[in-house]
Amino acid sequence: MPKTRLLAVPLAAALLAAGAGAADAVTLDRTSSVTCRGKGIDPRAKLHHRTQILIKAPLRTVWNLHADVERWPSWQEPVTSAKRLDRGPLRKGSKFRWTTPAPATPATPATTLVITSTVKDLKRGACIRWSGPAVGEGLRIDQGVHVWNFTEVKGGVLVRTEESWTGSQIEADPQTSIKYLAPGLDLWLTALKSAAEARSGRK
């Protein structure tokens, strides 16, 4: 079975931004995977998605917004709660739990996914990689692996991200998963762009 591109949570994004792209995105590098300290998504995963966006804001602003997990709900509407499970700066081994609604599909009911993520790799201001399961009533993703890169470029910061999902339930019906889930990662980037540019006064 050929690999199928998929996005990561937040799942409700599919209904909020169907057809929305990553605004102001530069040409997408479709040949190289997104990695952090040499590690990327699960290479065996059948479901994965890669995208990127240019954010016209300082690197420090973009990184601080993204790494301040507990404030995600303030700039990402689909993230309904987020809580750190440890203290101090986000680092390798940090854990956090967050929630996002998942719309009903022909195969699954509407539910709220509870995602427990563990930071596997991190280089401050440059990259982060986390993984963990997402569980809701009638819906389960056994393991998601999500990698982010932040690179200063002319005009701002290029943010590249890639995520893989594994689990028998979502792999059983990839076309439905794509239809309902694919826009979500682009929406995450668009929300990060809007929040960072508003904070820095750039557009």
Side-chain angles (χ1 to χ4, degrees), residues 130-149:
W130 65 65
S131 67
V135 181
E137 184 177 354
L139 178 60
R140 179 183 176 89
I141 300 161
D142 292 344
Q143 186 78 348
V145 181
H146 201 168
V147 192
W148 297 81
N149 284 178

Side-chain angles (χ1 to χ4, degrees), residues 10-16 100-113 139 176 179-181:
L11 306 178
L15 298 183
L16 298 174
T100 188
T105 76
T108 60
T111 188
T112 295
L113 280 177
L139 178 60
T176 296
K179 176 181 177 181
Y180 283 88
L181 309 180

Side-chain angles (χ1 to χ4, degrees), residues 24 54-58 155 193-203:
D24 293 336
L54 176 65
I55 300 178
K56 300 174 184 177
K193 174 182 174 70
S194 296
E197 291 180 352
R199 181 170 293 189
S200 66
R202 300 185 196 177
K203 290 185 179 180

Side-chain angles (χ1 to χ4, degrees), residues 7-183:
L7 93 99
V9 284
L11 306 178
L15 298 183
L16 298 174
D24 293 336
V26 297
T27 302
L28 179 61
D29 179 359
R30 298 187 183 277
T31 60
S32 61
S33 295
V34 181
T35 62
C36 184
R37 297 190 178 276
K39 298 179 181 179
I41 61 170
D42 184 344
R44 302 163 298 177
K46 296 177 180 179
L47 306 176
H48 60 91
H49 180 67
R50 183 191 309 155
T51 189
Q52 66 183 29
I53 199 167
L54 176 65
I55 300 178
K56 300 174 184 177
L59 175 59
R60 180 177 180 179
T61 299
V62 178
W63 174 263
N64 286 345
L65 271 169
H66 192 72
D68 191 356
V69 170
E70 291 190 312
R71 292 187 180 273
W72 282 357
S74 70
W75 56 269
Q76 288 195 72
E77 185 178 349
V79 178
T80 52
S81 71
K83 181 179 180 180
R84 285 284 303 275
L85 303 180
D86 55 359
R87 297 181 179 179
L90 203 65
R91 60 194 181 278
K92 184 174 180 178
S94 290
K95 297 179 183 292
F96 53 96
R97 182 170 294 123
W98 49 296
T99 59
T100 188
T105 76
T108 60
T111 188
T112 295
L113 280 177
V114 179
I115 304 107
T116 304
S117 300
T118 301
V119 176
K120 298 297 186 179
D121 298 280
L122 183 147
K123 184 176 181 181
R124 192 158 303 281
C127 68
I128 186 170
R129 174 177 173 267
W130 65 65
S131 67
V135 181
E137 184 177 354
L139 178 60
R140 179 183 176 89
I141 300 161
D142 292 344
Q143 186 78 348
V145 181
H146 201 168
V147 192
W148 297 81
N149 284 178
F150 303 82
T151 306
E152 287 185 294
V153 297
K154 184 178 180 180
V157 178
L158 177 63
V159 182
R160 299 182 68 227
T161 186
E162 186 169 17
E163 182 160 13
S164 63
W165 285 7
T166 55
S168 58
Q169 186 178 22
I170 57 170
E171 291 170 3
D173 190 359
Q175 291 185 346
T176 296
S177 298
I178 292 168
K179 176 181 177 181
Y180 283 88
L181 309 180

